[in-house]
Every structure is written in C-alpha cells, then in structure tokens.
C-alpha cells in the first residue's frame, strides 16, 4: 500500500465522517443547544418579571403601610380630640354641679340662719317674759301678750 492511497482513503473516510456528523449528529446537538438557550432565556425573562413584580409589590406594600400609618395618626388625633372634648364636658359639668351644690349650701346656710334667728327670737322673747315676770313678781299670760311678743320678734 502506498502512502498516498492511504491518505486518500483516510481523506474519504474523514469526509464521510464529517458528512455523517453534519447530517445526523450535528442537528440534534444544535437543536438541544438552541432549546437549552431558549430555556435559559425564558428563565432569565421570568426572573426579570419576578424582580419587577417584587418591586411593584414592595411599592404597593409601602403605599399600604403609609396609608395605614396615616389612618392610625388620624385615629389617634380623633381620639385625642374626643378625649379633650370629654374632659372639657366633664369640667363644665363639674363646674355646673359645684355651682349647684354651692347655691344649695348657701340656701341651706341662709335657711339655718333664719331658723336660728327665729329660735333666738323665741328664746329672747321667753327670757324677756320671764325677766318681766320676775320683775313684776307676778305671772304674765303669754296668750294675752302674743301680739307684743310678735312685735318684739320683728324688732329683733
């Protein structure tokens, strides 16, 4: 065998191998690589969509939290306002009640003073009658002198 014929035979076998590889082996490998690249691209796109969805969700959560904080602040402000109103109302009611109690106490004091004056007038009248009785050494009739005693009470 000649070296040229061996190289020529090897060249033909190599050409058949290249043709066979290009025809039957290379297309499935390229197809598998293309499918794999497509899946990777889809995965990257899905990851990007997930990232953008996550960012949007974070923005919505931040907006909801801000709205919740605002509502809580409004509720606290309303509660403070209502508490101030209740305290003011209680103060007003207490002032009115104390004014009523003070007026009632003054009326009671005035009534008691009048009773004490009447009792004192009666006692003074009786003492005056007893004193006059002792001075005159005779008994004075209280029924006859009731008019005199009434006038005496008025003067006292």
């Amino acid at each position: 065998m000649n070296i040229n014929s061996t190289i020529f035979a090897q060249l033909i076998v190599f050409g058949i191998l290249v043709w066979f590889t290009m025809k039957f082996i290379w297309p499935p490998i390229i197809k598998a690589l293309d499918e794999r690249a497509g899946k990777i691209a889809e995965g990257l796109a899905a990851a990007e969509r997930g990232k953008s969805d996550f960012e949007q969700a974070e923005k919505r959560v931040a907006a909801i939290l801000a709205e919740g904080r605002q509502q809580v602040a409004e509720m606290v402000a309303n509660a403070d306002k209502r508490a101030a109103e209740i305290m003011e109302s209680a103060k007003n009611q207490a002032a009115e009640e104390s004014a009523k109690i003070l007026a009632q106490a003054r009326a009671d004091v005035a009534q008691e003073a009048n009773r004490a004056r009447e009792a004192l007038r009666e006692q003074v009248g009786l003492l005056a009658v007893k004193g006059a009785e002792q001075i005159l050494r005779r008994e004075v009739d209280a029924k006859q002198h009731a008019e005199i005693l009434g006038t005496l009470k008025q003067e006292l």
Side-chain angles (χ1 to χ4, degrees):
M1 275 220 159
N2 187 342
I3 200 150
N4 284 336
S5 63
T6 308
I7 288 179
F8 183 69
Q10 285 179 353
L11 189 59
I12 290 174
V13 170
F14 183 73
I16 292 171
L17 180 64
V18 168
W19 172 80
F20 181 78
T21 302
M22 294 289 276
K23 179 80 173 169
F24 296 107
I25 295 175
W26 195 255
I29 291 175
I30 295 297
K31 184 179 176 185
L33 288 175
D34 288 342
E35 286 177 2
R36 180 78 174 148
K39 286 182 181 178
I40 290 172
E42 287 176 15
L44 290 175
E48 194 64 34
R49 283 191 308 269
K51 184 178 177 183
S52 68
D53 289 346
F54 179 72
E55 288 173 355
Q56 289 176 354
E58 280 184 330
K59 288 178 184 177
R60 281 182 278 167
V61 166
I64 290 170
L65 285 175
E67 182 180 337
R69 285 186 188 114
Q70 181 183 5
Q71 288 176 352
V72 167
E74 288 175 3
M75 286 181 193
V76 168
N78 288 340
D80 288 343
K81 182 179 177 183
R82 180 69 179 135
E85 289 174 358
I86 289 172
M87 288 182 63
E88 188 64 31
S89 174
K91 285 180 184 178
N92 291 341
Q93 287 178 348
E96 290 174 5
E97 188 67 27
S98 73
K100 286 179 185 177
I101 292 172
L102 185 60
Q104 182 64 36
R106 286 182 179 161
D108 289 346
V109 166
Q111 190 176 17
E112 286 298 319
N114 286 336
R115 284 187 202 154
R117 283 187 198 120
E118 288 296 321
L120 187 60
R121 284 179 186 157
E122 288 179 17
Q123 288 176 0
V124 167
L126 289 175
L127 286 174
V129 169
K130 282 188 179 185
E133 180 181 343
Q134 287 179 2
I135 291 174
L136 297 175
R137 294 280 181 200
R138 62 183 184 99
E139 192 170 323
V140 176
D141 190 8
K143 289 180 183 178
Q144 293 176 354
H145 300 289
E147 203 173 297
I148 297 172
L149 291 176
T151 306
L152 183 61
K153 283 182 188 179
Q154 294 296 329
E155 289 176 5
L156 293 176

